[in-house]
Amino acid sequence: MLKSLQRGLAATLAATVGLTMFAAASFAADVKEINVSYVTSPFNLQVMVTKLQGRLEKEFGKDGITVNWHEITSGAKQAQAMAAGSLDFGMVMNSTSVLMANAAGNPVKIVSAVSRPSETFALVAGKDGPKTIEDLKGKTVAGPKGTVLHQMLVAAVDKAGLEQNDVKFVSMDLPKARAAMLSGNVDAALLAASLVIKSVEEGAHVVTTASGLVTPKLVLASSAAFVEAHPDLVERVIKVHKEAQAFIDANRDEAIALGAKEKNISIEDATKLADWAGYTTSLAQDDLDSMKADMDFLVANDLIKQVVDLDDVVMPSAME
């Protein structure tokens, strides 16, 4: 009787495993292609390693699934593409863009983490420009409105005991803000990554970085519809993402050299950017607290009308 019971359990287990494998295969069979974004700035080594080493192609090729890469660098545009169904994964999005998308009725889920590049974002002034935040009183700062850089400026001004209207803020994209700062048309600029390095090389100086003021959070995201329809594929994309990070950890010099070539920058600059990046594959409670502060900033600046429930936005996989 015991042997009969064991045979029965074995048959049940085999059937269960078979059904599970069949279900997973069915999910994969429903998808012929996966559309993902390719975002290299500020210095996203995980996504560069993933693309340049063909890691997603190797993962999904066995299922006959084609991987299409799209250079959509704007988080807002990635969210719009997800809403239109033309993008399945935002391989690198700022968490603020995800929050704004959800607040606008476009459900985007954070499924994993990419980095916390606090040192990559900075307030930069020209050679004879302000040296401290206090020196910004009565001065003009240029940068992109509604971004983590703008939030950094507000936090820095508040921390220095100044009023926001003590500093004139002019909305401008990063290249234009840098050019205006270097030409003396504005007193300081909000910049990121290689633009900070290049500006310092040209005589400018960093007044402050985001460190200690705000925490930029870059994440891997997917549309709610795709997450619900294809959880197995989402899990596999996360696996590839984590494997890319493991490769970077084990082969740092090789990975940095790969990124330097892709970005057409020196190994020295690439190493700086990698050192500043704060790579990760999981969020922590501090990140969730930071997102709540981010939403307060967005509401205060009339960029969203109301906060969103993070339990609906951040998937458990992002915390693992």
Side-chain angles (χ1 to χ4, degrees):
M1 182 174 180
L2 179 58
K3 289 184 178 179
S4 176
L5 179 60
Q6 288 173 332
R7 283 196 298 270
L9 288 172
T12 301
L13 178 59
T16 301
V17 171
L19 286 172
T20 301
M21 292 178 66
F22 175 76
S26 297
F27 283 145
D30 290 340
V31 177
K32 300 303 181 185
E33 62 180 21
I34 295 176
N35 291 283
V36 303
S37 64
Y38 188 49
V39 186
T40 61
S41 294
F43 195 65
N44 301 319
L45 264 185
Q46 300 109 315
V47 73
M48 287 190 276
V49 165
T50 297
K51 182 178 187 293
L52 298 174
Q53 294 184 343
R55 289 174 173 266
L56 285 177
E57 288 80 359
K58 293 172 186 174
E59 174 66 28
F60 293 108
K62 54 195 173 187
D63 300 311
I65 298 175
T66 300
V67 178
N68 301 315
W69 292 87
H70 304 272
E71 291 194 23
I72 310 174
T73 57
S74 162
K77 290 182 178 178
Q78 289 185 69
Q80 290 168 8
M82 287 184 199
S86 57
L87 188 71
D88 302 311
F89 291 93
M91 297 299 287
V92 182
M93 292 181 68
N94 193 302
S95 60
T96 299
S97 297
V98 175
L99 296 174
M100 292 177 72
N102 281 275
N106 177 12
V108 175
K109 305 290 189 181
I110 294 174
V111 300
S112 191
V114 174
S115 63
R116 303 181 189 90
S118 296
E119 294 295 335
T120 301
F121 295 86
L123 173 66
V124 181
K127 182 179 180 181
D128 299 318
K131 300 293 191 296
T132 67
I133 299 300
E134 289 80 3
D135 294 339
L136 290 177
K137 187 171 184 178
K139 300 294 194 295
T140 300
V141 178
K145 183 179 180 180
T147 63
V148 67
L149 281 164
H150 183 197
Q151 186 178 356
M152 177 191 76
L153 174 64
V154 171
V157 166
D158 288 346
K159 187 174 182 179
L162 301 177
E163 300 294 331
Q164 287 193 40
N165 58 13
D166 285 334
V167 180
K168 183 180 180 181
F169 175 71
V170 179
S171 184
M172 206 176 288
D173 66 29
L174 297 186
K176 290 180 180 178
R178 176 176 179 270
M181 179 270 296
L182 291 175
S183 65
N185 290 324
V186 300
D187 299 291
L190 300 169
L191 302 176
S194 58
L195 292 181
V196 176
I197 294 173
K198 290 177 181 177
S199 297
V200 171
E201 289 174 349
E202 294 183 38
H205 60 270
V206 172
V207 178
T208 186
T209 66
S211 184
L213 296 172
V214 296
T215 303
K217 297 163 290 295
L218 301 185
V219 298
L220 195 166
S222 182
S223 69
F226 193 92
V227 170
E228 182 177 352
H230 306 290
D232 59 317
L233 301 185
V234 173
E235 183 178 344
R236 289 167 68 183
V237 169
I238 295 170
K239 176 178 74 74
V240 170
H241 171 63
K242 291 185 175 182
E243 288 171 350
Q245 182 60 56
F247 173 83
I248 294 167
D249 292 339
N251 306 275
R252 184 174 175 79
D253 291 345
E254 182 181 347
I256 288 174
L258 181 151
K261 182 177 180 181
E262 180 71 355
K263 295 286 290 179
N264 193 28
I265 59 177
S266 68
I267 294 294
E268 180 182 3
D269 287 352
T271 301
K272 284 181 183 179
L273 292 174
D275 288 344
W276 294 348
Y279 299 122
T280 186
T281 57
S282 62
L283 298 175
Q285 182 59 48
D286 286 348
D287 296 310
L288 301 185
D289 295 339
S290 175
M291 285 187 208
K292 293 175 183 177
D294 296 342
M295 283 191 282
D296 291 340
F297 167 79
L298 294 171
V299 170
N301 285 272
D302 201 30
L303 295 168
I304 61 174
K305 298 301 181 185
Q306 59 185 10
V307 300
V308 299
D309 186 351
L310 289 180
D311 288 338
D312 290 336
V313 177
V314 181
M315 301 297 291
S317 59
M319 306 296 292
E320 296 172 353

